[in-house]
Amino acid sequence: MHAPVLVLKDSLKRESGSKVQHANIQASKAVADIIRTTLGPRSMLKMLLDATGGIVVTNDGNAILRELDLAHPAAKSMIELSRTQDEEVGDGTTSVIVLAGEMLHVAEAFIDKNYHPTVICRAYNKALEDAIAVLDKIAMPIDTKDRAAMLGLVKSCIGTKFTSQFGDLIADLAIDATTTVGVDLGQGLREVDIKKYIKVEKVPGGQLEDSKVLKGVMFNKDVVAPGKMRRKIVNPRIILLDSPLEYKKGENQTNAELVKEEDWAVLLKMEEEYIENLCAQIIKFKPDLVITEKGLSDLACHYLSKAGISAIRRLRKTDNNRIAKACGAVIVNRVDELQESDVGTGAGLFEVKKIGDEYFTFIVDCKDPKACTVLLRGASKDLLNEVERNLQDAMSVARNIIKNPKLVPGGGATELTVSATLKQKSSSVEGIEKWPYEAAAIAFEAIPRTLAQNCGVNVIRTMTAMQGKHANGENAWIGIDGNSGAITDMKEKKIWDAYNVKAQTFKTAIEAACMLLRIDDIVSGIKKKQAAGAGQAPSKPQIETEADADSEQILPD
């Protein structure tokens, strides 16, 4: 027997056929069951131990799944779904997993009856197209300038979260922050970059009600020389640098040989003159505040403070970008290229405040800031972390509405409408695909059913009543109130969802279900670990001939 075949037998574990599909479906259902109870306003919280031994208490689907360490590849790809959903639209992370799990669950019966997975996937894709068409039909436009409507929407989207008990607070912060950083691209399009231009600063202490959106930025820094430099300046002129204000060292190792002792003094003088020259070029523009991402030497500090200029050094690049957007300055790479137009004059106040033990710099009251900081206060770190997670979701919802101002009903009403419409259409689907298409229609009911379960009402009675109201495809706005479990009109209760989030949830869930169904082989190329004590004696080397190499399938280790 030749070596490559030994490798093949040793390291290739293989499962195939419907066995694999069943295993994938079971793994996906297990992931869905973990977070099923976190859907809806009356949802349960999960307490997680993270890798560092810290504790996370949350009901955010993505935050829970992020901490899981699962071995099964299908389970891992389900976890990726919630991450994709979170990055793309920032909400609906639990719904997408529950829906994908249900889509796979209803497919199991067809796998047992030897349906080919491609047939099931074809029916699912047809169902997805029709579901998006239903969404387009029932979607309702919203005016993004109407503050009350926006507030109602963001509140209903984060009504399932922990912070919903604090009323309008988080929704207010989210709308203020996203409308601040929104940029018009023309042709009615708006771009809102949450990650880049909205910074969330969590400062333990104070009350949650003290949280606010600053019309500008704040960061955890103090001026270089606190005694000599001003800590409060009204209407400051700000220069932002991306270059060091210290003597330039050689790019690589530099040696200098001095013959005379006086040369040493000359060298030092040159250094001083170089820094003095740098500072003179800055002072020429009469700034009140100089901020650099790099170092700032004691000598430069002396020249700047003598000219009455405050300075801050070693700032993060991301913070510097936000300051530039807030006060209208341009980040300059070389001091000798400074121009008057690079000086930022948009800020109304520069102030350094002490909060707790640390100093924070505020550059606020900006004229038209295109970046902002959300200052969160709260009793403990754990509480602040959860508030931040909820705030990110709320900002994502506000961003989605600004980008695509359309609403669909929440509380499972959308899914019930989609389900009822697909059930009606299934009678016109021809051939073998009719049954999986109908099963996909039933799978959509998983969301309202889970909501009903988490409310603690009689699930069968509630679902039957709702299906009755949706049966003729009318009453599109009848859903379940997640707090009381009552069947109500979502328009009256103002329980809404963003169109973007729903569309993305349906697409991601169905496409992922199709992908997992079409897997018919799991091949693991991991070598088994040798038992302790084994393999001590060196094995006899085997010599391979060319003929062996040609006839064998050589697999990499």
Side-chain angles (χ1 to χ4, degrees):
M1 190 179 278
H2 305 295
V5 181
L6 275 173
V7 168
L8 217 162
K9 281 191 172 170
D10 179 41
S11 67
L12 256 184
K13 289 191 299 205
R14 182 168 177 262
E15 291 178 24
S16 64
S18 63
K19 217 180 190 178
V20 165
Q21 277 138 5
H22 279 300
N24 285 347
I25 290 169
Q26 291 307 324
S28 306
K29 272 159 64 179
V31 173
D33 286 341
I34 290 171
I35 61 167
R36 194 181 293 278
T37 56
T38 66
L39 188 73
R42 284 279 168 261
S43 59
M44 308 299 285
L45 290 164
K46 303 277 181 193
M47 184 180 253
L48 309 163
L49 269 174
D50 65 12
T52 56
I55 291 172
V56 181
V57 179
T58 181
N59 66 351
D60 183 323
N62 183 44
I64 294 164
L65 293 176
R66 219 174 29 214
E67 299 294 339
L68 293 185
D69 186 18
L70 299 174
H72 199 284
K76 280 184 177 164
S77 71
M78 285 289 279
I79 290 171
E80 279 300 314
L81 287 193
S82 86
R83 190 169 299 159
T84 310
Q85 183 80 359
D86 195 54
E87 283 171 13
E88 194 63 30
V89 288
D91 196 18
T93 48
T94 308
S95 310
V96 77
I97 300 284
V98 171
L99 192 55
E102 194 67 19
M103 287 287 170
L104 288 164
H105 175 58
V106 295
E108 200 165 12
F110 301 107
I111 301 280
D112 287 339
K113 289 177 186 159
N114 290 331
Y115 270 60
H116 196 282
T118 313
V119 175
I120 303 172
C121 292
R122 255 206 311 269
Y124 275 14
N125 284 325
K126 206 175 277 180
L128 173 60
E129 280 173 33
D130 292 343
I132 299 294
V134 174
L135 277 187
D136 289 331
K137 202 168 108 191
I138 62 171
M140 184 179 92
I142 180 176
D143 178 17
T144 51
K145 303 252 184 330
D146 181 355
R147 170 91 187 194
M150 286 283 285
L151 192 65
L153 174 77
V154 176
K155 261 181 74 179
S156 71
C157 284
I158 61 162
T160 61
K161 307 280 188 242
F162 168 73
T163 49
S164 57
Q165 60 195 356
F166 300 112
D168 298 355
L169 177 74
I170 296 295
D172 264 328
L173 293 178
I175 293 171
D176 286 342
T178 41
T179 44
T180 301
V181 301
V183 180
D184 277 316
L185 300 175
Q187 297 166 341
L189 292 173
R190 269 176 84 75
E191 180 57 46
V192 182
D193 196 331
I194 292 176
K195 279 204 170 89
K196 236 181 178 175
Y197 298 128
I198 300 179
K199 173 81 182 287
V200 178
E201 280 281 0
K202 303 179 296 236
V203 183
Q207 290 180 313
L208 200 61
E209 286 73 32
D210 299 338
S211 306
K212 55 178 181 280
V213 175
L214 303 173
K215 279 198 72 173
V217 290
M218 71 170 274
F219 45 91
N220 191 348
K221 285 272 177 201
D222 192 5
V223 290
V224 183
K228 300 176 190 167
M229 293 176 172
R230 289 179 291 170
R231 276 190 171 154
K232 184 173 181 181
I233 304 169
V234 180
N235 295 332
R237 286 168 58 81
I238 300 173
I239 286 181
L240 301 179
L241 300 175
D242 183 14
S243 61
L245 293 181
E246 52 194 3
Y247 191 68
K248 199 171 183 327
K249 299 170 185 70
E251 288 292 328
N252 39 28
Q253 284 186 339
T254 317
N255 288 332
E257 280 192 25
L258 304 177
V259 183
K260 299 200 293 289
E261 196 181 325
E262 295 82 56
D263 291 352
W264 178 243
V266 173
L267 265 180
L268 292 178
K269 188 104 181 80
M270 281 166 67
E271 281 190 21
E272 283 183 21
E273 279 170 2
Y274 172 75
I275 290 173
E276 190 176 1
N277 184 28
L278 278 184
C279 293
Q281 284 171 327
I282 292 170
I283 292 165
K284 201 164 60 181
F285 290 94
K286 297 192 172 63
D288 297 303
L289 177 63
V290 173
I291 299 176
T292 177
E293 291 172 31
K294 305 283 195 302
L296 189 144
S297 69
D298 292 346
L299 194 61
C301 171
H302 162 73
Y303 285 125
L304 292 176
S305 63
K306 212 163 85 175
I309 298 168
S310 296
I312 291 172
R313 65 180 164 201
R314 297 205 173 85
L315 191 74
R316 283 202 195 104
K317 181 147 208 78
T318 49
D319 283 337
N320 214 9
N321 287 337
R322 272 189 285 273
I323 297 169
K325 281 274 179 189
C327 71
V330 177
I331 299 172
V332 182
N333 288 61
R334 292 173 62 107
V335 173
D336 45 13
E337 287 174 8
L338 260 172
Q339 296 169 348
E340 181 57 43
S341 58
D342 298 335
V343 181
T345 54
L349 177 69
F350 156 75
E351 190 174 9
V352 178
K353 285 186 190 167
K354 190 175 186 187
I355 303 177
D357 290 341
E358 301 191 52
Y359 286 96
F360 289 88
T361 298
F362 292 79
I363 296 173
V364 288
D365 297 344
C366 300
K367 286 191 189 98
D368 183 22
K370 285 285 162 251
C372 66
T373 301
V374 183
L375 173 61
L376 290 182
R377 306 299 309 271
S380 70
K381 271 210 172 90
D382 289 335
L383 177 79
L384 280 175
N385 287 339
E386 181 63 7
V387 172
E388 186 193 13
R389 276 191 288 271
N390 296 170
L391 180 66
Q392 291 292 353
D393 283 358
M395 289 193 301
S396 300
V397 170
R399 177 193 63 187
N400 293 333
I401 295 302
I402 288 170
K403 279 185 158 182
N404 189 353
K406 281 200 287 189
L407 302 181
V408 289
T414 303
E415 285 81 4
L416 282 163
T417 309
V418 167
S419 177
T421 314
L422 294 187
K423 278 180 195 164
Q424 284 174 351
K425 280 197 175 177
S426 67
S427 53
S428 61
V429 176
E430 290 176 3
I432 197 172
E433 288 170 23
K434 175 185 167 75
W435 311 112
Y437 183 94
E438 200 172 322
I442 294 167
F444 276 105
E445 290 174 0
I447 300 285
R449 190 170 63 243
T450 306
L451 277 172
Q453 275 169 352
N454 292 346
C455 292
V457 294
N458 186 319
V459 178
I460 296 170
R461 198 173 292 161
T462 308
M463 284 303 291
T464 314
M466 284 201 287
Q467 282 162 345
K469 297 205 179 211
H470 279 270
N472 52 6
E474 293 166 16
N475 300 338
W477 288 78
I478 298 289
I480 183 166
D481 178 352
N483 284 314
S484 60
I487 298 171
T488 48
D489 186 336
M490 297 290 117
K491 261 190 191 145
E492 285 172 19
K493 280 277 181 184
K494 295 196 173 168
I495 300 175
W496 295 318
D497 259 328
Y499 171 87
N500 269 21
V501 175
K502 271 284 175 273
Q504 185 69 30
T505 303
F506 291 178
K507 285 177 194 164
T508 312
I510 290 180
E511 282 167 14
C514 289
M515 183 190 77
L516 287 171
L517 283 173
R518 282 167 49 187
I519 294 169
D520 71 339
D521 242 341
I522 294 182
V523 182
S524 162
I526 304 166
K527 261 194 171 178
K528 285 179 192 160
K529 282 188 182 159
Q530 285 186 326
Q536 301 293 351
S539 58
K540 186 181 168 191
Q542 281 178 311
I543 299 163
E544 285 189 24
T545 62
E546 277 181 35
D548 293 337
D550 289 340
S551 63
E552 300 293 353
Q553 179 193 7
I554 297 179
L555 285 170
D557 276 0

